[in-house]
Amino acid sequence: MSFSSILLLALGLAMDATAVSAARGVAVSRVLPRHVLLVAVFFGGFQAAMPLVGWLVGAHVGAWVQAWDHWIAFALLVAIGGKMIWEARQTDDDDAPPREADLFGWKVMTVLAIATSIDALAVGFTLPLLGAPMILSIVTIGVVTAFASALGLFAGRRFGAMLGRRLALVGGLVLIGLGTKILIEHLLDGT
């Protein structure tokens, strides 16, 4: 497997994390260096770790994870998106932004990182079959995802500045839409 193929694979895998990062950016009043570091480390780190796990345990659970990955990602993204929408509707002050601690808390970030990296786990099962170099593949996937997630955060913030109120509502809808898209694509492909 050539480096250009690995790079394209990494870009494809990074899209979910980038979309979720954009949803985080929509919901904050301004992007802080801490936010950039969190999305880069969580999303890039999980995207790099999951193919490694897939590579190591693929022979044992690969078929099961591939059969259910879209349902797992769907459930996690819809749950987080629903929670964001619920919290946005519960605020007493319509202009109050969602609490930053809730948006970038380690529990929420971990769940989002897992949800967006399940497809990377499935890819990890197939990388050895494609003759891809393990270290190069994992590093490329992690770095590309970290960079794309940071860009997504800024893009989401820029877009969010144009939206005004109820930014968490939009972020929740984006996550639910992403989960639904993942599920529909997998169901239509028959995998």
Side-chain angles (χ1 to χ4, degrees), residues 78-115:
V78 167
I80 294 291
K83 182 178 182 285
M84 286 176 67
I85 291 169
W86 177 260
E87 289 173 353
R89 296 184 53 92
Q90 298 302 314
T91 59
D92 293 327
D93 180 6
D94 287 345
D95 293 325
R99 287 180 359 125
E100 191 177 296
D102 295 337
L103 295 171
F104 292 93
W106 71 271
K107 288 179 185 177
V108 170
M109 291 300 292
T110 300
V111 170
L112 290 171
I114 290 169

Side-chain angles (χ1 to χ4, degrees), residues 10-26 28 31-48 104 109 112-117 119 140-158 178:
L11 286 169
L13 290 173
M15 291 302 104
D16 291 351
T18 303
V20 172
S21 294
R24 302 282 89 181
V26 164
V28 295
V31 174
L32 301 174
R34 175 181 169 277
H35 301 148
V36 175
L37 182 64
L38 284 170
V39 298
V41 168
F42 272 91
F43 295 133
F46 272 83
Q47 284 285 58
F104 292 93
M109 291 300 292
L112 290 171
I114 290 169
T116 59
S117 63
D119 55 347
T140 302
I141 290 168
V143 169
V144 167
T145 301
F147 185 71
S149 296
L151 288 177
L153 185 65
F154 285 107
R157 179 61 246 139
R158 183 169 178 87
L178 181 61

